[in-house]
Amino acid sequence: MISIFIIFAVFILYNINRLTFSLCLQKEIPEEKQPKVYRTINVLITILLISSFVEIAFT
């Protein structure tokens, strides 16, 4: 179960980063602000994935 969830999480993070890249291009976010945008989105998605795993694993 853990390996399936890890594969799923990597797939989700990859797609979210692609969408973030598209957002940065479309909204013309300056280069110096892009790392902060990526970091914020990645941290929030990681928290969401961890809480989802905990909920699935312990229920």
Side-chain angles (χ1 to χ4, degrees), residues 5-58:
F5 196 84
I6 290 173
I7 292 170
F8 172 73
V10 169
F11 177 74
I12 293 297
L13 281 171
Y14 174 75
N15 283 326
I16 293 297
N17 281 325
R18 270 193 4 200
L19 291 172
T20 304
F21 177 74
S22 298
L23 173 75
C24 288
L25 288 178
Q26 183 179 7
K27 296 297 180 182
E28 298 175 357
I29 296 174
E31 288 285 327
E32 60 272 359
K33 289 190 177 187
Q34 286 184 12
K36 186 176 180 182
V37 172
Y38 275 98
R39 190 177 323 115
T40 302
I41 291 174
N42 283 333
V43 166
L44 293 173
I45 294 299
T46 304
I47 291 170
L48 179 66
L49 288 169
I50 290 171
S51 65
S52 297
F53 176 75
V54 168
E55 183 178 344
I56 291 170
F58 296 111

